[in-house]
Amino acid sequence: MERKLDIAGMTCSSCEAKVKKALLGVEGVKSAQVSHATGTAFIKGKTLPSDKALKQAIENAGYAMRKEKFPWGFVGLLSGAVVVFFATQSLYGSLTFDPTNSTVTLGLVVAYGLVSSLHCIGMCGGIAFSTSVSAQVKNPMRRVWQYQSGRILSYTISGIVLGMMGKVFTISPMFTNALLLVAGLWMIFLSLTMVKLIRVNLPEFNFLQGKKDRGPFFIGLLNALMPCGSLQTMQVMALGSANPLLGGGIMLVFGLMTAPSLISMQWLGARINAINGRRIQIVAAVLVALMGIQMTLRSPIVAAPLNDLVMNLTGQKTMAPIVDGYQTVNLHLDRGTYVLDYAAVKAGVPVKLTFSWEGITGCTNPVNLTFINRLVDIKKNPEPIVFTPEETGKLEIVCWMDMVRTYLYVK
């Protein structure tokens, strides 16, 4: 364990030596580093002594231990950041700005990039935050620029490739969903190391020449593979340009416009990392864990079985009523989510699936009815879909970007 102490009265190297000797004389302190310039001391030990014992030892040496000040102002800032992080996800779902229905211009790309910053905070903000908040971080600002350069580079390369190929290259949904799950679990693991519940040396990606930590750069590169609706919307625009330079330019500008929001998350992480208070580190670890849990639950690998469990425990699989010979079910697109008014139907009886919406975003429309292999654009063709489920099980309804989903259960 390590702890920082604030000590008053030290003026020279001789003072440092006296305080160090006093601290090492306290049972439980294995090592001590003292600085008269900063008025601080860092002590380490398997089990650190009480404040009373430390205070007595320092006073016997002729100095005084200042009480650790709790940074209430920063806690307020941190609390505000948490509110913004979760509120932006709800706010983004109410936006109806869809650039794919407009002519590509620099102003459009800039505007959509700024709007998408809200989504970036909710989707990748936790990843950006975790690149800067860790006990092992020595130069947080270098990690900020590494992560951003890797992210923007990967965006630009994807735009160039799309513009050059003139067709979509698809990445397996299973791969992107697994990547989302790994990212979430990594953040939960990181939070446990921050509070010393797990004691391991995290990998620093030092396999290239030199010994500098390049982890944030590679994390940034992987950002282009994340199942992000805003990112994939811009990649569709890059694809439509049919020009590698224009496609790369679109993605470069988009990356630059979304950078400030993610840099703010990284700055917050770096700011927390600069505070050595144990309580602040616990708060930071909890925040990272919450972001990691949220990201883990977004992955269908976890979300699908969890949804089944909740539905079974709560008995929410309400059977759809039969109207004029059809089991009638309505799918409502509400602020970036899918809501079914009835979650279950009977096998062998025709189903009429109707649609309604409020605040459609580029993420939720068109809707992919995977069980009949049909993509439905709710804006252009809101007519009901009729089908007959033949076997029991569950029918997946997912957005065209494989992000938003729900299930209709067949009994």
Side-chain angles (χ1 to χ4, degrees), residues 158-167 238-248:
S158 71
I160 293 173
V161 173
L162 285 167
M164 182 168 52
M165 294 178 62
K167 61 180 180 180
L239 171 69
S241 71
N243 183 308
L245 293 179
L246 182 55

Side-chain angles (χ1 to χ4, degrees), residues 255-291:
L256 292 173
M257 291 302 100
T258 54
S261 63
L262 295 178
I263 289 176
S264 68
M265 294 297 294
Q266 290 184 282
W267 173 85
L268 182 64
R271 180 71 179 82
I272 291 175
N273 191 64
I275 300 176
N276 290 288
R278 174 68 175 171
R279 286 172 289 185
I280 284 293
Q281 290 298 326
I282 292 175
V283 171
V286 170
L287 181 57
V288 172
L290 288 175
M291 292 178 179

